[in-house]
Amino acid sequence: MTTEAPRQLPLWRTFLVFLLPMMLSNILQSLSGTLNGVFLGQLIDVDAMATASVLFPVMFFCISLVIGVATGATVLIGQAYGARDMALVRRIAGLVLLVVLISGVVIGGLGAVFAPDLLRILGTPENIFADATRYARIIMVSMPVMFLFILATSILRGVGDTVTPLWALIFSTLTGAILTPALILGWAGLPKLGPPSAAIASVVSITVALAWLCWRMNQKKMAVAPNIELFRHMRFDGAMLARVLRIGVPTGVQMVIFALSEIVLLGLANAYGSDVTAAYGATTQVLSYVQFPAMSIGISASILAAQAIGAGKADSLDKIMRTAQLLNLVITGLGVIVVYLLSHTIISLFITEPDVIKMTDRLIAIVLWSLLLFGVSVAFSGIMRGSGTVLAPTGIAIFAILAVEIPVAIVMTRHIGVEGVWWAYPAAFAAMAVMQGAYYYLVWRRQKIERLV
């Protein structure tokens, strides 16, 4: 009598098992920012919403380094995990933990000291400058904790766990949803802190989530749990760091370019006053609900590709890519449809001025459809990043930003006003999708794919 081997799940189901918790995590992360916007806009005013919005590009810029390092670590950990080499997994995790902790302390300290200068460079409207400075300093001081949280969730995803980060973000979102209005309104004897309330609540909520995450990782006895065994691996390893940075630096540079481009675009928008600044923040919040799922698909594709390469199954990469593109069409496409139908209602949650609502609704309509193209590009680049190929995909993305997005924004604002800023996004996303796809099929797939560790 023979026993049949267990039937393997279709790739799309495996993809969804990995993807859905990550997608929900990113949506929760976005929801946290949206709730802050709702509380600030509804409980204070539109200027409070603008206060929080103006810091978004700066925050994005500051976390670029950790995202790059975490991406490099995730790829290498994914390949080591695919090969079932747990000692190597800990070695990589300990190294990046040391690097990210030091980076968080340095960047957070410098950011807190130079916050007013950064806000001046952004052209922050004078009527919100004082509150924006206080908000910025609180956020900057929290950078070490924020960096560690991003790294921990990335490492967990590298070893195939997307559920634990989801629970951590649930705790973080719930904490922020309770604490932000409490600090704005002075519940339970708490002081009324105005716009900085959202920043303080954010710091507390991310700290709670990180503490729970550390406890849970140790309880489940994970290979990457923060314990004595992992701390012994917190030492400098030049050769391994070079491998991490080979992937991480281009990714980090790409994030920096994205952040700088957002600073340029926000500066163009800020010239039209604080109402447009608030519209920019609201547009960013609403679009993130569609953009983050698309990004989750790209990250999932990258990790699944890394694990497949580590397990010696490089022949499955094309199938992973096709599955990622199909899921992008279905999931991102559904998100686009839903937001088109409900954008006015969503915007009204955190902006009360009718003229600003109308403006934001129009700006969202300009950009929203192009997020499908964004999803196409990140799926292609995600697969290639899983193999350690980052220079070409990163170069393509940077070219699209510097040679397409920013020039289009500058030229279009001169001709049609503030709407020109938002037309730059579809132009850049279309360029990325075409160039990433061409490089994937014409160059990358003709190369030999091998493990990096």
Side-chain angles (χ1 to χ4, degrees):
M1 185 176 179
T2 59
T3 303
E4 289 186 5
R7 217 173 130 190
Q8 190 172 15
L9 287 174
L11 180 57
W12 67 270
R13 289 190 183 178
T14 303
F15 213 118
L16 282 177
V17 168
F18 192 85
L19 169 66
L20 290 178
M22 184 186 301
M23 191 169 68
L24 290 172
S25 295
N26 285 327
I27 290 174
L28 276 174
Q29 204 164 14
S30 181
L31 178 62
S32 178
T34 299
L35 287 174
N36 282 342
V38 170
F39 294 137
L40 291 173
Q42 293 287 346
L43 300 180
I44 305 180
D45 54 28
V46 71
D47 284 346
M49 173 68 184
T51 296
S53 300
V54 77
L55 189 63
F56 177 78
V58 178
M59 289 176 61
F60 197 75
F61 180 87
C62 289
I63 66 175
S64 295
L65 172 63
V66 72
I67 289 177
V69 173
T71 300
T74 300
V75 170
L76 296 183
I77 287 172
Q79 292 192 6
Y81 185 77
R84 296 295 182 262
D85 189 342
M86 295 303 124
L88 183 56
V89 166
R90 292 189 192 94
R91 179 180 162 199
I92 300 167
L95 169 66
V96 294
L97 178 59
L98 176 65
V99 171
V100 165
L101 183 58
I102 294 172
S103 301
V105 171
V106 173
I107 292 176
L110 292 175
V113 171
F114 294 105
D117 303 279
L118 291 170
L119 294 174
R120 291 288 183 200
I121 292 171
L122 286 171
T124 303
E126 198 60 40
N127 61 314
I128 63 172
F129 189 84
D131 279 337
T133 300
R134 286 192 289 272
Y135 187 100
R137 281 184 164 144
I138 295 167
I139 291 295
M140 290 299 175
V141 168
S142 73
M143 281 294 165
V145 176
M146 190 180 300
F147 278 21
L148 290 175
F149 183 77
I150 293 170
L151 178 65
T153 54
S154 297
I155 288 174
L156 283 172
R157 289 163 182 163
V159 297
D161 183 355
T162 57
V163 175
T164 302
L166 172 60
W167 279 109
L169 280 165
I170 289 172
F171 292 133
S172 174
T173 303
L174 288 175
T175 302
I178 295 169
L179 191 55
T180 302
L183 290 173
I184 290 175
L185 300 173
W187 291 347
L190 293 172
K192 294 183 179 181
L193 299 178
S197 299
I200 294 171
S202 176
V203 174
V204 174
S205 63
I206 204 75
T207 303
V208 168
L210 181 61
W212 180 86
L213 198 59
C214 293
W215 171 80
R216 184 60 174 165
M217 291 165 72
N218 277 297
Q219 185 191 48
K220 294 175 71 175
K221 301 186 186 303
M222 296 181 178
V224 291
N227 52 31
I228 296 298
E229 190 173 0
L230 181 64
F231 296 155
R232 288 195 186 108
H233 288 87
M234 286 182 64
R235 56 179 180 267
F236 184 77
D237 183 336
M240 185 59 70
L241 181 60
R243 293 178 185 177
V244 172
L245 295 181
R246 176 185 162 193
I247 302 169
V249 168
T251 303
V253 169
Q254 178 180 325
M255 297 295 291
V256 168
I257 296 298
F258 278 18
L260 290 175
S261 71
E262 287 296 316
I263 289 173
V264 172
L265 297 186
L266 178 58
L268 292 173
N270 279 343
Y272 293 86
S274 59
D275 282 355
V276 174
T277 303
Y280 172 91
T283 303
T284 301
Q285 290 292 337
V286 174
L287 293 179
S288 66
Y289 285 98
V290 182
Q291 191 171 22
F292 280 142
M295 292 173 64
S296 298
I297 293 170
I299 295 168
S300 298
S302 180
I303 295 170
L304 290 176
Q307 292 181 356
I309 293 168
K313 298 178 180 178
D315 55 343
S316 65
L317 294 177
D318 279 338
K319 192 173 181 181
I320 294 173
M321 185 277 297
R322 289 192 297 270
T323 304
Q325 297 293 3
L326 175 62
L327 291 173
N328 173 62
L329 180 63
V330 174
I331 297 173
T332 308
L334 181 62
V336 167
I337 293 170
V338 169
V339 173
Y340 267 128
L341 293 175
L342 301 177
S343 65
H344 188 87
T345 302
I346 297 170
I347 295 163
S348 300
L349 291 173
F350 45 90
I351 292 181
T352 55
E353 284 80 351
D355 289 343
V356 182
I357 293 173
K358 184 177 179 181
M359 179 199 318
T360 306
D361 205 14
R362 188 169 66 251
L363 298 177
I364 288 173
I366 291 171
V367 180
L368 185 58
W369 63 274
S370 67
L371 294 183
L372 273 169
L373 298 175
F374 172 79
V376 169
S377 70
V378 297
F380 280 126
S381 62
I383 296 285
M384 292 186 281
R385 186 170 288 112
S387 73
T389 299
V390 291
L391 288 178
T394 298
I396 288 170
I398 291 174
F399 177 83
I401 295 299
L402 296 182
V404 179
E405 184 178 76
I406 292 177
V408 167
I410 293 172
V411 172
M412 293 288 282
T413 51
R414 291 174 181 172
H415 289 83
I416 63 173
V418 70
E419 290 187 6
V421 173
W422 276 264
W423 277 110
Y425 290 105
F429 294 158
M432 285 183 199
V434 171
M435 290 188 290
Q436 299 285 16
Y439 187 83
Y440 178 93
Y441 284 112
L442 300 179
V443 180
W444 185 76
R445 281 308 284 137
R446 299 182 181 184
Q447 300 174 347
K448 186 177 180 180
I449 309 300
E450 296 180 322
R451 281 179 54 186
L452 299 175
V453 290

